[in-house]
Amino acid sequence: GKLNGNPLETSMVWSHKLRGFREEFSEGYDSMDNPLDYGLGHEVLNRLTFDLKDEVVSTATKFQHVDIFDVMEVPFRSYAFYQKSIARADDEITDSYEYCHPELFKPDRVLYLGGVLQSSFLGDAPYHEALVHPVMIAHHNPRRVAIIGGGEGATLREVLKHNTVEEVVMIDIDEELISLAKEHLKEWNDCSDLIDSNVQSCFDHPKASIYFCDAMKWFIDRFNDKSNDEMKFDVIIMDALDPNDAVDIVDELYTNTTFLQSLYNGLHDDGAFIVQLGEAPRLKSPPDEYGSFQNRARVIHTLESLGMETMHPYAEGHSGFFAPWTYLGAF
């Protein structure tokens, strides 16, 4: 159809709603265990406020369910500007600013693992720059770096921007997730614009060594004591699940003293440890020791007891997680 002689661009807005009675009606039901009712369902599938909502991929790997969506919502993106940016070559608007700079008007791409938001196109740079650079800059000469998790490749990308780095060891258990990231999250792991880089993907960078295995076992096997000097790191970055996620492995990551001891043993004497610690406390939040972020308190106390001399918590508010996000640098 046409409006005032101009063609009408149509789009479909849809919502996915679960049928039946669940919470408070079904004994033992917990919405946080159902990605269609919590996280992905609440933040993407159920909502009707998006001007654009497209499923990019929804699949299960050996370890988790992966969902990637393109979404667009006012005021963060304009659907009308987006339409101009992808106009056909024979349209009259191909001389528009939007058409000449389509990268500025793309939808937001969001990644959910197990129904929990992990990363977004608009929040990628704020989150990963805040995670990596403060401590990397604070260290006087970070040459060997380890990354735990970080399957999108963005943490690896930011580490490789430091010209002092000679080797980055990345350990992620889910090889299928990294394959999906190479295909569908290319901006996250794009190293084509790094100085002296001759690869497109950071996963293929000559300074990067990728291990597809259990990071806890990897560190414990190599650093059960402090004698393995040749393999020690200047910086270790833990970009794993949030400390309050309702996943069994989370408790192990943040409270397993043997694992945390191996991380401490794996650092040089002047080394640094970086970890993301989830949503920042609100004004009326209880102390972490008594609320839903007990794992955050435990990991801080454990690192102090292991011998970390200084702890530097900080927060960043533009990562796209619906709340400011916290990090910890330990030296």
Side-chain angles (χ1 to χ4, degrees):
K2 292 187 176 182
L3 179 64
N4 297 327
N6 297 316
L8 284 174
E9 295 286 353
T10 60
S11 62
M12 180 178 70
V13 177
W14 58 272
S15 176
H16 178 283
K17 297 286 187 181
L18 294 177
R19 297 176 61 186
F21 299 101
R22 290 174 299 282
E23 203 159 19
E24 298 180 3
F25 292 91
S26 178
E27 184 177 353
Y29 180 81
D30 186 348
S31 63
M32 294 184 68
D33 293 332
N34 185 353
L36 296 180
D37 201 10
Y38 169 80
L40 175 65
H42 177 70
E43 296 160 6
V44 176
L45 300 180
N46 293 352
R47 291 177 61 181
L48 283 168
T49 56
F50 292 117
D51 290 335
L52 179 147
K53 179 167 57 177
D54 288 337
E55 179 185 288
V56 178
V57 65
S58 180
T59 186
T61 72
K62 183 180 178 181
F63 299 97
Q64 57 199 332
H65 202 281
V66 180
D67 292 279
I68 302 175
F69 278 81
D70 281 340
V71 296
M72 183 171 290
E73 183 177 26
V74 176
F76 306 105
R77 282 289 194 267
S78 164
Y79 186 74
F81 290 166
Y82 171 63
Q83 288 294 327
K84 287 185 178 181
S85 74
I86 60 172
R88 297 185 302 272
D90 57 350
D91 284 347
E92 296 179 359
I93 60 173
T94 53
D95 61 345
S96 69
Y97 181 83
E98 293 84 358
Y99 182 83
C100 296
H101 301 279
E103 70 280 2
L104 301 179
F105 302 95
K106 295 170 61 174
D108 193 15
R109 180 160 290 192
V110 292
L111 167 68
Y112 283 78
L113 300 180
V116 179
L117 179 62
Q118 298 296 320
S119 190
S120 67
F121 174 68
L122 296 180
D124 162 30
Y127 171 82
H128 291 100
E129 289 177 5
L131 173 69
V132 172
H133 296 311
V135 174
M136 286 288 291
I137 292 171
H139 193 285
H140 65 96
N141 188 27
R143 294 181 298 171
R144 196 163 189 265
V145 179
I147 300 171
I148 299 169
E152 316 101 305
T155 302
L156 176 61
R157 178 196 71 210
E158 296 303 317
V159 170
L160 288 169
K161 291 179 179 179
H162 291 259
N163 59 13
T164 60
V165 171
E166 298 172 359
E167 182 184 13
V168 188
V169 174
M170 177 177 160
I171 310 106
D172 194 298
I173 200 171
D174 199 340
E175 184 173 4
E176 295 172 84
L177 172 61
I178 290 178
S179 296
L180 290 169
K182 283 184 176 181
E183 181 178 358
H184 300 293
L185 303 174
K186 294 180 180 179
E187 292 90 350
W188 278 255
N189 52 80
D190 182 6
C191 276
S192 61
D193 59 348
L194 298 187
I195 296 175
D196 297 328
S197 174
N198 57 359
V199 297
Q200 183 70 35
S201 173
C202 300
F203 295 120
D204 300 322
H205 198 282
K207 293 182 180 180
S209 301
I210 315 296
Y211 292 84
F212 303 110
C213 59
D214 183 346
M216 292 179 63
K217 186 178 186 303
W218 193 93
F219 269 92
I220 292 171
D221 287 348
R222 288 161 177 78
F223 300 105
N224 194 39
D225 56 47
K226 300 196 70 171
S227 62
N228 196 354
D229 291 333
E230 292 184 1
M231 294 189 64
K232 287 187 176 183
F233 297 96
D234 299 300
V235 176
I236 297 175
I237 303 171
M238 193 158 85
D239 182 18
L241 297 169
D242 305 337
N244 64 319
D245 281 351
V247 181
D248 292 339
I249 189 62
V250 166
D251 286 340
E252 289 291 301
L253 284 172
Y254 291 94
T255 65
N256 186 314
T257 305
T258 303
F259 171 54
L260 294 173
Q261 178 72 64
S262 72
L263 296 181
Y264 181 77
N265 293 344
L267 286 169
H268 289 295
D269 290 341
D270 59 352
F273 175 61
I274 314 169
V275 59
Q276 69 91 6
L277 289 177
E279 181 180 331
R282 300 174 186 267
L283 183 63
K284 296 184 179 180
S285 297
D288 286 345
E289 289 84 351
Y290 303 102
S292 60
F293 285 89
Q294 293 182 27
N295 284 341
R296 178 160 59 198
R298 288 169 184 160
V299 72
I300 293 174
H301 294 327
T302 302
L303 290 172
E304 288 176 335
S305 68
L306 290 174
M308 289 294 187
E309 296 180 0
T310 60
M311 316 286 280
H312 301 274
Y314 58 101
E316 196 285 324
H318 302 85
S319 299
F321 290 134
F322 310 106
W325 219 246
T326 60
Y327 312 83
L328 176 73
F331 297 83

